[in-house]
Each structure stands twice: as structure tokens, then as C-alpha cells.
């Protein structure tokens, strides 16, 4: 895998891992932790993007948003369930919340890795500095085309492309990691290679391509046809190989890319991760009003944080239990790739009203008679950080700082490195050596680009 967050291995400071009390389990006693939580802090936005799942815009008021103190309580409840999640603070446009830095600081101080998802038009030098001071480790910005006419029209904001391009230069100057998010449509599908090349040249750690889910303002927006989706996925697999070791390239809301990775590329870093849709199993979303849903593109409500705690909802919601133990229906249920793909649950719900139903955006038609296809190697996304070698207390404290969803990956790679070189134990010097051995472009990267969710 090219993009392990080994920058955490020699980061300053100490942290002791706190166990997660009463973690959610499925019927097979598998532990489910909220490794990644996306939090839509507001519906307010200076843009009105055509595909916005939350229908954000300038006409929304702050009155319905959760107050700061309630947000602090929710942060603390989340950290009680998972001491080191990846927390994505988004909107709407999260920069419109005056308490964004306060919320980021509360979460970061408690052990979360905090990133911000923004449309990229309002990040001044001063705001970047204040976010970094608050502990924010990365930013996701949206670029749908390098052609102003397309991007500005899609985002409903004249001049928004240039503002975002200027923001990218500021992020580079401040050395704050960023990813580029693009929503693919028939209008820009021919520009993906150009966008990927630009993102890599500017220093993005990842290029994420989102496929439209018919929810929010995109409810009546036609996505690509199944055959078109297939063509884009093939292109993304090629781009991923081209930029491997330099920039991650991933599909979002189209897990069908895993079928291509499994059948054509045994070395793909995508195969290190939990490949079924993570919604409700490793991932969830909080709305501006405090409702918890499986993901930003799924409006089905698992619980309300104004009346219940985060832990109660995560561990006991019938909706989440269904996602963790239910059987996939339709062609997804009979597909031999269901173990490594499983289709997009948000799209199944949006188009058929059934979270466990088929994802009809997929071109593949299974017969139901082919044996289940497994991944080529053990999945390490979200796995426990089990150890075989001795770790010094300082090394163990250092690895506990890494977000839970990639800690198992890092631990396994560090121990493999140590064994190959005959080291009897892992200490800070070994961890620093591991980092130095990684590709230069990734030696300082933080893990937010591995997120399953995020904003587009």
C-alpha cells in the first residue's frame, strides 16, 4: 500500500489508547466502531451546487443548528465510543460557523484526527492558520472542472473556480494537506484525466471521484448510465496505477471499482480496505440538527442526538443493526462480488427505498451460480492493531495516535519491516526508519485522504 500515514510514527507528543466501551457488535460478535464520522455542521452555504445532497444555500438560517455546547457534548460522546476517529467537519459550508475552530480543537485535543470539507472559496491565509492552530490536519476542496464555465455553473457561483484554485495555492504555501473532490457527470467525464494530472501536480494527496446519488438537490439529476459508470471505473483504475505512490485515486459511492481491482490488479492499495459499503458499520453522518444517518447521502435516520447519546445510537440503532447483519437483495445479493463490493447502499435507498436493495447503477449482471469471490489478501481497514513483536511504551503510545481505521494497517507494516530487518522489537528509532523508507511524496502525509466519506 502506497499511502500509509507514517507521518504519525514520529510525530511529537504522547497518547494512550483508550478502549471503546460497549462497542457495537453484529450477530457474529464482530466489533463495529465509528472509524469515520462526517458532520454536516450547517445547511448554510455561499454556493448552491446542483447536486448538493443537503440542499445547502444562502437562504438557510443558523437557528436550527446545534449550539456549540451541544456539539461539545456530542464530540465527547463520540470519543467515548472511539478514542481516535477521523472526524470530517463539513456543511453546507462549515467555514460559515464561527465556532468551527472551537469544535475542531475540542475533537483534536480528545484524540480525533480532524479534517474540513469545504467548497474552497472562503479559505483565506488567516483562516487556514486558525484551522491549523485548532488542530485541523487536512482540507478537502471541490473542483469539478478546470473550465470556469462548467465549474461555476455547476456550483452556482461566478468566480468560484478561481477562488478555489487560489485556495489550493494557499494550502500548498501553508503545507496543509488537501484532497481534490470531483463529481462526475456527462458534462465533465472526459476531463477526469486532466483533473487528476492537475491535482497531482499541485500536490494533492488524493483525487476522489464521486458518482451522483439521487438525494437532496440531486434527486432529479440523472447520473451516468451503468455502462458509462463502468467506463469511468476502468479509467479510474488506470489512473490509480499511474499515480500510485504519489496520489491516491478513488471512486466514491461506486464500490463497483473493487470488481476491477480484484480481477485485474492484485497489488492495488484498494484491496487493503473494508470494501463493502461502510455506512452504519464503520461510518456515519451527523446532520446540522443532530440526527444520525448511515452516510451523508442516506437520509434514513438512525437516531437523534438531541434526545439520545451517540453511543446509544451507534450501538443499538435498529437501522445500523440492519446494515450490519442484513442480507443484500436483488442482484447485489446474488452477485459473486458482494463480499468485496456490495453496491452503494445510499443509491439503493434513494432509488428503491431499501437500504439492502440492489444498486442498479452497476452494469454487471450476476447469474447467482458463481462462487463468492474473496479478496486476494486479508483486509486490514478497521482491523484491530494486533502485535507479535515487543513494542516499547513510547512506540505503543505513538501508534495509538493514529486514527483507528488505519492503525491495524500501520501496525502490521511496521512489524513486517522490523522482522525483515531482524529487529527484535519496535521502538521510536525503528518507526522513524519505516517512515524514511516510504516514498518521499507520502513521508509527511496524514491519513485523512483514506476517508470513506467526505464532501464533493
Amino acid at each position: 500500500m502506497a499511502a500509509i500515514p507514517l507521518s504519525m510514527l514520529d510525530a511529537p507528543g504522547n497518547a494512550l489508547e483508550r478502549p471503546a466501551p460497549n462497542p457495537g457488535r453484529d450477530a457474529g460478535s464482530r466489533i463495529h466502531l465509528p472509524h469515520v464520522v462526517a458532520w454536516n455542521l450547517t445547511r448554510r452555504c455561499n454556493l448552491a451546487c446542483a447536486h448538493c445532497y443537503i440542499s445547502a444555500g444562502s437562504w438557510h438560517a443558523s437557528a436550527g443548528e446545534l449550539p456549540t455546547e451541544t456539539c461539545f457534548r456530542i464530540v465527547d460522546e463520540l470519543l467515548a465510543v472511539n478514542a481516535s476517529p477521523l472526524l470530517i467537519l463539513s456543511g453546507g459550508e462549515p467555514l460559515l460557523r464561527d465556532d468551527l475552530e472551537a469544535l475542531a480543537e475540542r475533537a483534536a485535543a480528545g484524540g480525533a484526527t480532524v479534517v474540513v470539507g469545504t467548497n474552497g472559496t472562503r479559505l483565506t491565509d488567516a483562516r487556514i492558520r486558525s484551522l491549523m492552530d485548532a488542530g485541523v490536519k487536512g482540507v478537502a476542496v471541490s473542483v469539478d472542472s478546470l473550465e470556469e464555465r462548467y465549474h461555476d455553473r455547476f456550483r452556482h457561483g461566478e468566480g468560484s473556480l478561481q477562488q478555489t484554485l487560489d485556495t489550493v495555492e494557499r494550502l500548498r504555501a501553508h503545507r496543509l494537506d488537501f484532497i481534490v473532490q470531483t463529481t462526475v457527470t456527462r458534462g465533465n467525464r472526459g476531463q477526469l484525466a486532466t483533473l487528476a494530472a492537475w491535482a497531482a501536480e499541485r500536490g494533492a494527496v488524493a483525487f476522489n471521484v464521486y458518482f451522483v446519488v439521487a438525494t437532496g438537490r440531486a434527486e432529479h439529476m440523472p447520473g451516468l448510465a451503468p455502462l458509462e459508470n463502468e467506463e469511468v471505473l476502468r479509467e479510474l483504475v488506470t489512473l490509480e496505477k499511474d499515480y500510485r505512490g504519489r496520489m491516491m485515486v478513488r471512486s466514491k459511492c461506486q464500490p463497483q471499482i473493487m470488481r476491477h481491482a480484484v480481477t485485474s490488479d492484485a497489488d492495488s492499495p484498494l484491496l487493503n480496505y473494508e470494501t463493502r459499503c461502510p455506512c452504519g458499520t464503520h461510518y456515519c453522518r451527523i446532520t446540522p440538527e443532530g440526527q444520525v444517518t448511515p452516510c451523508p447521502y442516506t437520509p434514513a435516520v438512525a437516531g437523534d442526538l438531541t434526545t439520545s447519546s451517540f453511543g446509544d445510537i451507534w450501538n443499538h440503532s435498529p437501522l445500523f443493526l440492519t446494515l450490519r447483519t442484513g442480507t443484500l437483495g436483488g442482484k447485489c445479493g446474488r452477485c459473486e462480488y458482494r463480499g468485496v463490493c456490495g453496491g452503494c447502499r445510499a443509491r439503493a435507498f434513494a432509488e428503491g427505498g431499501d437500504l439492502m436493495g440492489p444498486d442498479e447503477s452497476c452494469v454487471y449482471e450476476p447469474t447467482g451460480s458463481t462462487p463468492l469471490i474473496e479478496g486476494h489478501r486479508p483486509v486490514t481497514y478497521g482491523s484491530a492493531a494486533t502485535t507479535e513483536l515487543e513494542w516499547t511504551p513510547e512506540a505503543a503510545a505513538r501508534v495509538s495516535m493514529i486514527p483507528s481505521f488505519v492503525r491495524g494497517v500501520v501496525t502490521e507494516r511496521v512489524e513486517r519491516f522490523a522482522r525483515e530487518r531482524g529487529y527484535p522489537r519496535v521502538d521510536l528509532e525503528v518507526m522513524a526508519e519505516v517512515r524514511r523508507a516510504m516514498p518521499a511524496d507520502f513521508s509527511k502525509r496524514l491519513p485523512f485522504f483514506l476517508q470513506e466519506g467526505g464532501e464533493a
Side-chain angles (χ1 to χ4, degrees):
M1 173 185 161
I4 290 176
L6 293 180
S7 59
M8 301 297 285
L9 299 184
D10 56 316
N14 293 307
L16 297 177
E17 185 171 9
R18 301 188 294 275
N22 302 316
R25 294 175 180 264
D26 62 20
S29 294
R30 180 184 179 188
I31 296 176
H32 293 281
L33 286 176
H35 293 297
V36 182
V37 177
W39 194 340
N40 297 127
L41 291 170
T42 180
R43 295 182 188 273
R44 291 177 287 152
C45 189
N46 57 310
L47 301 180
C49 303
H51 66 308
C52 182
Y53 62 81
I54 202 170
S55 299
S58 59
W59 53 89
H60 289 291
S62 61
E65 299 169 6
L66 296 174
T68 304
E69 289 303 319
T70 300
C71 291
F72 283 163
R73 187 257 298 170
I74 292 170
V75 166
D76 294 345
E77 291 175 354
L78 167 59
L79 295 174
V81 177
N82 181 4
S84 51
L86 177 66
L87 180 61
I88 308 163
L89 300 179
S90 187
E93 177 47 63
L95 297 178
L96 294 175
R97 280 204 56 146
D98 295 335
D99 59 357
L100 177 61
E101 282 83 351
L103 300 180
E105 186 172 17
R106 178 76 165 227
T113 297
V114 182
V115 300
V116 171
T118 171
N119 60 40
T121 63
R122 300 176 62 88
L123 267 177
T124 63
D125 287 306
R127 198 70 192 267
I128 292 172
R129 283 193 295 268
S130 69
L131 290 173
M132 295 177 71
D133 289 345
V136 170
K137 299 301 184 183
V139 172
V141 297
S142 299
V143 180
D144 297 298
S145 173
L146 295 176
E147 299 174 2
E148 286 188 2
R149 183 172 180 272
Y150 180 90
H151 178 96
D152 291 359
R153 183 179 60 197
F154 190 69
R155 295 281 164 180
H156 290 185
E158 184 177 356
S160 60
L161 174 61
Q162 189 57 54
Q163 291 168 355
T164 302
L165 298 183
D166 292 343
T167 284
V168 167
E169 296 308 312
R170 294 187 193 101
L171 292 169
R172 295 183 71 203
H174 288 277
R175 302 181 65 83
L176 180 59
D177 284 344
F178 66 94
I179 66 178
V180 173
Q181 318 263 49
T182 295
T183 296
V184 62
T185 68
R186 289 190 177 98
N188 69 351
R189 56 175 292 204
Q191 303 176 35
L192 296 181
T194 299
L195 283 162
W198 170 81
E201 192 276 331
R202 302 325 294 160
V205 286
F207 176 56
N208 290 338
V209 176
Y210 283 76
F211 291 71
V212 173
V213 177
T215 187
R217 214 157 27 233
E219 183 177 0
H220 302 294
M221 175 183 291
L224 300 181
L227 184 59
E228 293 173 311
N229 286 333
E230 188 78 351
E231 293 170 349
V232 172
L233 291 175
R234 288 196 189 101
E235 180 178 7
L236 293 181
V237 168
T238 299
L239 290 172
E240 190 281 316
K241 291 180 182 178
D242 291 344
Y243 293 101
R244 190 173 298 172
R246 182 181 177 193
M247 178 183 75
M248 287 283 288
V249 177
R250 303 190 70 181
S251 70
K252 298 294 181 178
C253 306
Q254 191 72 202
Q256 289 82 357
I257 197 172
M258 298 307 302
R259 174 165 45 84
H260 296 275
V262 166
T263 57
S264 66
D265 186 5
D267 295 324
S268 173
L270 297 173
L271 300 179
N272 286 305
Y273 300 98
E274 189 76 51
T275 50
R276 279 280 296 273
C277 178
C279 300
T281 59
H282 299 306
Y283 176 48
C284 68
R285 181 269 296 258
I286 302 172
T287 72
E289 300 77 25
Q291 293 182 326
V292 180
T293 78
C295 81
Y297 302 93
T298 308
V301 176
D304 189 336
L305 288 167
T306 65
T307 57
S308 301
S309 72
F310 182 89
D312 285 342
I313 295 170
W314 179 261
N315 291 326
H316 305 299
S317 166
L319 181 65
F320 285 164
L321 183 61
T322 296
L323 286 165
R324 295 166 190 171
T325 64
T327 301
L328 294 175
K331 69 178 185 179
C332 286
R334 63 178 181 272
C335 183
E336 62 267 29
Y337 294 99
R338 63 188 179 275
V340 295
C341 170
C344 174
R345 297 301 94 217
R347 188 173 291 106
F349 184 78
E351 298 183 358
D354 182 0
L355 275 171
M356 305 305 290
D359 178 357
E360 298 293 353
S361 72
C362 180
V363 72
Y364 188 72
E365 291 293 341
T367 64
S369 59
T370 305
L372 183 67
I373 292 175
E374 303 285 355
H376 297 315
R377 59 179 179 268
V379 172
T380 46
Y381 169 98
S383 60
T386 57
T387 60
E388 297 179 359
L389 296 178
E390 177 189 354
W391 288 61
T392 66
E394 295 82 7
R398 186 66 50 76
V399 82
S400 75
M401 299 169 65
I402 296 172
S404 61
F405 77 112
V406 288
R407 193 178 302 138
V409 179
V410 174
T411 301
E412 187 271 334
R413 286 301 177 91
V414 170
E415 290 209 344
R416 184 196 306 174
F417 181 93
R419 285 194 298 270
E420 289 173 349
R421 286 155 180 78
Y423 298 140
R425 66 175 186 171
V426 176
D427 57 21
L428 293 181
E429 198 167 314
V430 170
M431 297 173 82
E433 187 176 343
V434 173
R435 180 185 178 187
R436 289 193 295 269
M438 291 298 291
D441 287 332
F442 277 94
S443 64
K444 297 181 177 65
R445 297 307 190 189
L446 286 158
F448 77 99
F449 62 91
L450 296 173
Q451 67 197 30
E452 288 296 336
E455 308 309 314

